[in-house]
Amino acid sequence: MNVVSILTIILIAVSTVCLVLGLVGFFSTKNKTHNKKGKKKHRLFLALTLFALWLLVGTLISSVYKGKAGLHIEFSLFSDRITLFGMSFAKTTVVMWGIIALVFVMSLIFRIFIFPKFDKTEPKGLQNGIELSVEFMENFAKNSLGDYSDSLAPYMYTLGVFMIFAAISELFGFRPPTSDIVVTFAMGLITFVLINVCGIKKKGVKGRIKSMTTPTPVILPMKILSDVAVPVSLACRLFGNMLGGMIVMDLLKSVLGGYGSGIPAVAGLYFNVFHPLIQAYIFIILSMTFINEAIE
């Protein structure tokens, strides 16, 4: 019997004893929480129980998968491929189609079955939440885009919903589409098209060219280079941040091994919910800023 096996047996024994003591203490102090001292003891025994359970489960998993543990991180710039109906697709593309289909079906269910008729006098619950989010995006777009907010706010809202669902897909074991450079570049390219379309619509072709030669025609090449760099910058920023979050989660799971029970799930609340919200906000506000510069 080697040192590792002896340590494993000791950890299992210690965690089992702590678990039993924690459970006994937890249930024995359950009816003594009427004062501060009793509540404190009750919480301490609960903490001991949870820690002992985590240690026991982690040790058992590590002992079962001994030899398979270690740091194994693999990632690529482009997504893996999958064959469907005789054609090859990127896995992130298939996930993206699934997200689009899911959001579409949820929208139909929401509109047809849950709220066939909106309550315009006193909206409540889910309807109120949806209306508040839509109103927030409309006001947000109006402050940045002015007269163009009515046509661009729905796209920006849809973009935010897509990015949030794309991040959540990682919780189900999929690589999020926004961690694929092809997807983020396509999103950046749409922003690039909107910049020029809105600029030409506002000022005309001559006005758009004139704005790029102001105050002197010498800066025209730099202006063109700056505009071309916009989709690349947006794509790389979003791709890097989302891929970085995915790598951190994989590192956490790999390093903790069997002791990762529950911890990656808590960390996932940040990397799969809060962090993507920040990235969605940054991408949308930068897109609006660039469009606003073109129509000024």
Side-chain angles (χ1 to χ4, degrees):
M1 186 177 291
N2 55 31
V3 176
V4 175
S5 299
I6 295 172
L7 286 174
T8 300
I9 293 171
I10 293 172
L11 281 174
I12 291 174
V14 170
S15 58
T16 302
V17 172
C18 289
L19 180 60
V20 172
L21 291 174
L23 287 171
V24 171
F26 176 77
F27 287 109
S28 64
T29 57
K30 193 173 182 180
N31 298 322
K32 300 178 182 179
T33 57
H34 53 277
N35 54 50
K36 272 188 177 181
K37 192 174 181 181
K39 284 182 180 179
K40 189 175 181 180
K41 285 184 178 180
H42 189 66
R43 289 171 184 169
L44 284 173
F45 280 119
L46 176 60
L48 177 63
T49 302
L50 293 175
F51 174 75
L53 182 62
W54 170 78
L55 183 62
L56 178 60
V57 171
T59 306
L60 290 173
I61 292 174
S62 298
S63 62
V64 170
Y65 290 96
K66 184 172 59 176
K68 297 182 180 179
L71 194 59
H72 305 288
I73 299 295
E74 293 182 6
F75 67 93
S76 59
L77 190 65
F78 302 101
S79 171
D80 295 332
R81 311 287 298 183
I82 186 173
T83 302
L84 292 174
F85 310 110
M87 294 182 287
S88 178
F89 300 97
K91 286 184 178 180
T92 48
T93 302
V94 177
V95 174
M96 184 171 61
W97 290 341
I99 291 169
I100 294 170
L102 178 63
V103 172
F104 180 71
V105 170
M106 288 176 64
S107 301
L108 289 178
I109 293 173
F110 173 79
R111 188 66 184 90
I112 297 172
F113 298 104
I114 300 178
F115 292 108
K117 290 184 179 180
F118 273 57
D119 186 353
K120 297 181 180 180
T121 56
E122 191 178 348
K124 297 178 181 178
L126 182 60
Q127 179 187 338
N128 192 35
I130 296 294
E131 288 188 6
L132 283 173
S133 64
V134 172
E135 185 179 354
F136 170 79
M137 180 56 73
E138 287 178 344
N139 294 331
F140 188 56
K142 196 168 186 178
N143 292 332
S144 301
L145 302 172
D147 296 336
Y148 288 81
S149 62
D150 291 340
S151 57
L152 290 176
Y155 165 70
M156 297 297 174
Y157 186 86
T158 305
L159 188 63
V161 171
F162 166 73
M163 291 177 68
I164 292 169
F165 272 80
I168 292 174
S169 67
E170 189 179 351
L171 295 173
F172 297 91
F174 300 107
R175 175 172 175 169
T178 44
S179 67
D180 187 342
I181 189 67
V182 175
V183 175
T184 58
F185 185 75
M187 293 165 64
L189 197 59
I190 293 172
T191 296
F192 175 75
V193 171
L194 288 174
I195 291 169
N196 289 281
V197 167
C198 292
I200 293 172
K201 188 176 179 181
K202 176 77 173 182
K203 304 173 183 177
V205 177
K206 290 183 179 179
R208 175 66 175 152
I209 295 173
K210 186 178 178 180
S211 67
M212 297 179 72
T213 58
T214 304
T216 172
V218 177
I219 67 168
L220 179 61
M222 289 179 283
K223 282 276 190 178
I224 294 173
L225 183 62
S226 176
D227 274 11
V228 172
V230 166
V232 178
S233 172
L234 287 173
C236 292
R237 179 184 286 107
L238 179 59
F239 164 74
N241 281 290
M242 297 306 297
L243 184 65
M246 187 179 73
I247 292 172
V248 169
M249 286 299 297
D250 286 344
L251 279 169
L252 190 61
K253 294 173 185 175
S254 183
V255 168
L256 290 173
Y259 296 99
S261 303
I263 295 177
V266 175
L269 293 175
Y270 173 79
F271 288 107
N272 299 123
V273 180
F274 183 68
H275 178 251
L277 281 173
I278 296 175
Q279 297 309 316
Y281 173 79
I282 293 173
F283 191 93
I284 290 170
I285 199 170
L286 285 176
S287 297
M288 288 184 179
T289 301
F290 290 131
I291 293 171
N292 183 54
E293 288 177 358
I295 61 179
E296 279 185 339

